[in-house]
Amino acid sequence: MEKKWWHKKTAYQIYPKSFYDSNGDGIGDIQGIIQKLDYLKELGVDILWLSPVYLSPCADQGYDIADYYRIDPQFGTMEDMDQLLEEAKKREMHILMDLVVNHCSDEHEWFKKACQDPQGEYGKYFYIEEKKDGKLPCNWRSYFGGNVWEPIPGTDKYYLHLFHKKQPDLNWENPKVREEVYKMVNWWLDKGLAGFRIDAIINIKKPLPFKDYPADREDGLCDMGQVLADARGIGQFLGEMRDTCFLPHGAFTVGEVFNVRKEEIRDFIGEQGYFSSMFDFSQTVEGKSAKGWYASQIPSPDDYKRCCFESQKTAQGIGYLSNIIENHDEPRGVSHYLPPEGRQEKGKKLLAAMYFMLKGLPFIYQGQELGMENSVYQSIEDIDDVGSKDEYRRCLEMGCSEKEALDIVGHYTRDNARTPFQWSCEENGGFTKGKPWLNLNPNYKTINAESQVGKEDSIYSFYQKLIRLRKNPQWQETIVYGETVPILEKEENLMAYYRKGEGQTILVLGNFSGDEKNVNLAQLDWSRAQILLSNDQLEEREKGRVTLQPWQCAVIGISQ
Ligand code: TEU
Ligand code: CA
């Protein structure tokens, strides 16, 4: 594999609205990020991905962009953004922005012009259609519920939106749209961005002409997964964007790629791939049902392990994945992948070590380094997210009681990741001096940065050690490039793998249960082994056996 500067780094996702509020309006902002750069530097992360801060009416929390060249006043100004780029540079940190170009906002001037004159130039920037024989062009279901067509007032026309109705899809088939997008991407890269996280990108290629697919619910609509499986030719667009924007700038890009065909992974992240990397979402989609959250299953530790190993195998020899346990669209990883008894400090460190030591670029989502958990909700009114409200309706429709529906939605809702960052045990977790835009998780009094930074055995310090280990020249090559070789795969609640390097091997062990676990490692020569990191004492290392304590993990370095 050709070595790249970013392989050795650790990345961190900031959700600006909930990170740190510098001016007391209850909303996190760019100045807030600048004030916390030293906190992030101290943690050890190098690449920062910012969820969108562009001008936006915020129908989908900034993923609906009204002007790609402006910063939304709630987050600050372009001067603030320039200052952030400068301050990050001083600290040898790299900034990624979110590239949201499957759609824009209905308040973008392109869309306003399209509505004024659907037949005109800007009408062609979107997918605008009429009914035929009283029927909409297709029966696709929006990701946020309902059909994907919305009438343009005062006309007999409809526009396509795969997400919220305030997020009209851009027509990538139109070369003018692509030209506008590339111009904007280059403008930002010229400013000094290191690159982009690329939003919802698989959706830019629609199977055309529009047609119906078999309905999979009583609403007569069909899931987008089915539709996208039928789309071909996205490579033309993505290859063009790579050649026009990313390659000339040496940009780092990480794709949010769902629904990719296995045989196309090389096209996406191989040596000549469209992107530098893409997220591994195999665990996040595990157990999710196309029918909705009411029919979804929370993955077990063994499911989690199987997903991780499958992805490692798929990517081996092809490209470099980006690994996560959560992001702004998902429940908190510790609340999702750990069984309830495991959701304590030891279990959280275990999960951290298991994903962090996999091959790939580790991303930490804000608050993950503190062990932040899913929040609690008294009623559906406490939940802000658009998609979650639709899932709640769906649960009720399918016969759940209100309490059951709230439990299910409370587990999966994206709000779990969006509650404000817990800086301290002060009011509002030290996030704001005003009224926070979204309620804090009430556990901020016990889980917060202030109580963990500088404390030897905290979760924060454990993440710090994982990052330091990744940077330790003695083990770095193996951690960054070593092949992942799963072992003892059939052992329940045990996740164990080697990372095979040149002249050295790293063994990663994790006990996902509340019982001791004896692990047989007859072939291991303990005289050559050293414990690089663990969340407990590792005992009885004799005759090739070790006993892992409940929820214990250990990273063991073995030189040959
Ligand atoms: O997400 C795209 C996307 O496909 C997700 O909404 C996905 O369906 C869901 O997470 C599955 O659990 C991106 C952004 O990450 C998300 O925040 C935006 O809402 C969405 O695009 C639209 O821009
Ligand atoms: Ca603010």
Side-chain angles (χ1 to χ4, degrees):
M1 176 179 290
E2 196 189 321
K3 297 191 173 170
K4 298 279 163 55
W5 66 269
W6 51 270
H7 285 151
K8 296 182 172 174
K9 305 292 185 193
T10 299
Y12 188 96
Q13 181 188 354
I14 295 177
Y15 195 69
K17 195 166 184 179
S18 301
F19 192 54
Y20 185 62
D21 173 21
S22 71
N23 62 355
D25 64 359
I27 295 175
D29 43 54
I30 296 174
Q31 281 301 331
I33 300 173
I34 295 173
Q35 289 179 27
K36 296 297 182 184
L37 280 179
D38 289 328
Y39 165 87
L40 297 169
K41 185 72 194 168
E42 180 64 20
L43 175 62
V45 296
D46 325 88
I47 298 177
L48 305 178
W49 152 31
L50 268 54
S51 277
V53 290
Y54 312 90
L55 189 73
S56 166
C58 253
D60 183 23
Q61 297 302 358
Y63 284 89
D64 46 321
I65 298 171
D67 189 338
Y68 291 94
Y69 296 93
R70 283 168 66 191
I71 299 294
D72 197 280
Q74 68 176 331
F75 298 122
T77 62
M78 193 57 81
E79 288 69 49
D80 294 328
M81 193 63 210
D82 290 336
Q83 192 190 341
L84 173 62
L85 287 170
E86 226 169 89
E87 291 296 323
K89 197 167 170 197
K90 276 189 207 158
R91 293 168 178 79
E92 293 174 64
M93 294 166 115
H94 311 267
I95 304 281
L96 309 179
M97 284 178 81
D98 217 310
L99 184 61
V100 190
V101 286
N102 172 66
H103 43 265
C104 58
S105 162
D106 66 341
E107 298 184 29
H108 194 289
E109 65 162 350
W110 296 337
F111 190 71
K112 289 190 197 156
K113 287 182 184 160
C115 290
Q116 280 155 15
D117 180 12
Q119 323 279 31
E121 187 188 345
Y122 288 95
K124 298 190 186 72
Y125 274 45
F126 300 90
Y127 294 98
I128 296 178
E129 302 279 330
E130 285 171 16
K131 281 188 173 172
K132 281 198 189 81
D133 307 324
K135 233 181 119 283
L136 289 169
C138 65
N139 70 338
W140 307 350
R141 183 184 303 108
S142 147
Y143 287 102
F144 296 149
N147 79 57
V148 292
W149 297 99
E150 187 68 17
I152 300 181
T155 71
D156 53 358
K157 298 188 167 36
Y158 294 77
Y159 68 90
L160 177 86
H161 63 92
L162 298 189
F163 292 89
H164 195 273
K165 66 178 182 205
K166 284 182 71 63
Q167 292 169 301
D169 280 54
L170 285 164
N171 182 358
W172 274 71
E173 306 291 337
N174 179 351
K176 282 220 160 129
V177 167
R178 304 205 297 273
E179 212 177 284
E180 286 284 0
V181 168
Y182 305 153
K183 189 177 98 192
M184 177 273 288
V185 169
N186 283 331
W187 185 85
W188 276 104
L189 290 173
D190 287 341
K191 251 178 160 334
L193 276 191
F196 290 97
R197 173 267 189 181
I198 301 172
D199 185 72
I201 196 68
I202 207 83
N203 296 285
I204 64 171
K205 185 75 196 184
K206 281 83 174 155
L208 297 173
F210 292 113
K211 63 167 197 228
D212 284 0
Y213 288 81
D216 47 30
R217 291 183 196 172
E218 316 68 50
D219 59 6
L221 305 177
C222 73
D223 185 77
M224 278 307 298
Q226 212 188 132
V227 177
L228 295 173
D230 203 22
R232 293 290 180 283
I234 194 172
Q236 185 213 332
F237 301 157
L238 296 182
E240 195 178 84
M241 180 153 64
R242 170 198 59 204
D243 297 342
T244 317
C245 308
F246 305 149
L247 282 186
H249 284 91
F252 167 76
T253 51
V254 51
E256 188 204 23
V257 187
F258 284 100
N259 302 80
V260 68
R261 280 175 281 270
K262 232 181 180 171
E263 62 275 15
E264 284 179 24
I265 292 182
R266 191 181 293 277
D267 300 342
F268 278 78
I269 57 165
E271 215 89 306
Q272 313 296 325
Y274 313 133
F275 305 133
S276 314
S277 182
M278 60 189 252
F279 289 109
D280 174 24
F281 288 122
S282 62
Q283 321 83 19
T284 47
V285 298
E286 173 69 15
K288 286 219 183 109
S289 166
K291 293 184 188 153
W293 290 347
Y294 82 94
S296 298
Q297 293 287 325
I298 298 174
S300 71
D302 289 334
D303 293 332
Y304 174 75
K305 160 174 91 173
R306 181 174 36 79
C307 291
C308 291
F309 289 165
E310 268 173 26
S311 302
Q312 294 277 297
K313 200 165 133 203
T314 308
Q316 178 60 32
I318 294 184
Y320 212 70
L321 289 173
S322 288
N323 297 320
I324 58 164
I325 60 167
E326 63 200 43
N327 64 28
H328 67 293
D329 289 331
E330 297 297 326
R332 287 287 180 174
V334 295
S335 303
H336 191 58
Y337 301 115
L338 291 169
E341 330 82 79
R343 293 174 200 158
Q344 21 72 10
E345 286 199 11
K346 232 174 127 184
K348 292 174 181 180
K349 292 175 188 167
L350 157 77
L351 184 62
M354 296 327 283
Y355 101 97
F356 204 92
M357 293 304 297
L358 292 169
K359 183 169 179 175
L361 179 67
F363 273 72
I364 298 170
Y365 178 72
Q366 68 180 42
Q368 181 188 322
E369 74 277 23
L370 308 175
M372 275 180 68
E373 299 173 354
N374 274 1
S375 199
V376 285
Y377 308 94
Q378 304 309 327
S379 91
I380 188 68
E381 303 308 315
D382 290 348
I383 293 176
D384 169 83
D385 174 51
V386 279
S388 305
K389 292 188 193 287
D390 182 64
E391 292 283 355
Y392 182 78
R393 274 192 299 275
R394 175 98 181 124
C395 287
L396 295 180
E397 192 180 286
M398 295 312 288
C400 296
S401 70
E402 282 184 11
K403 172 162 188 325
E404 285 163 345
L406 189 63
D407 278 353
I408 294 170
V409 173
H411 178 84
Y412 287 104
T413 178
R414 314 197 281 184
D415 281 8
N416 285 314
R418 299 177 179 191
T419 60
F421 193 98
Q422 297 167 199
W423 291 104
S424 72
C425 61
E426 279 165 48
E427 202 177 349
N428 299 322
F431 160 72
T432 178
K433 296 249 179 307
K435 185 175 163 7
W437 74 274
L438 185 68
N439 284 338
L440 271 94
N441 188 321
N443 68 14
Y444 71 84
K445 297 219 155 91
T446 48
I447 299 179
N448 59 65
E450 195 182 36
S451 65
Q452 292 194 29
V453 175
K455 194 171 150 228
E456 181 57 23
D457 61 352
S458 66
I459 298 169
Y460 172 91
S461 298
F462 192 81
Y463 270 96
Q464 220 174 21
K465 287 175 197 158
L466 280 167
I467 298 169
R468 282 190 194 145
L469 182 57
R470 190 174 172 82
K471 295 198 168 152
N472 177 338
Q474 201 189 338
W475 300 101
Q476 186 168 52
E477 284 293 306
T478 303
I479 294 175
V480 175
Y481 296 110
E483 187 184 345
T484 304
V485 180
I487 57 168
L488 304 166
E489 274 180 274
K490 297 223 157 61
E491 284 274 336
E492 274 176 35
N493 296 326
L494 175 78
M495 182 161 170
Y497 56 93
Y498 286 119
R499 299 291 312 283
K500 299 266 183 190
E502 307 242 340
Q504 61 178 210
T505 300
I506 291 174
L507 170 62
V508 185
L509 295 172
N511 176 9
F512 280 84
S513 83
D515 304 316
E516 281 188 357
K517 196 168 267 299
N518 289 313
V519 186
N520 206 334
L521 294 162
Q523 70 284 48
L524 196 76
D525 177 358
W526 281 101
S527 68
R528 296 178 184 277
Q530 57 172 298
I531 295 174
L532 303 177
L533 190 58
S534 177
N535 59 357
D536 203 339
Q537 296 294 324
L538 195 64
E539 279 169 45
E540 287 177 45
R541 30 172 162 148
E542 56 188 39
K543 293 185 225 94
R545 287 167 72 84
V546 291
T547 302
L548 293 176
Q549 300 305 309
W551 312 107
Q552 180 169 14
C553 63
V555 180
I556 300 162
I558 307 153
S559 352
Q560 275 139 30

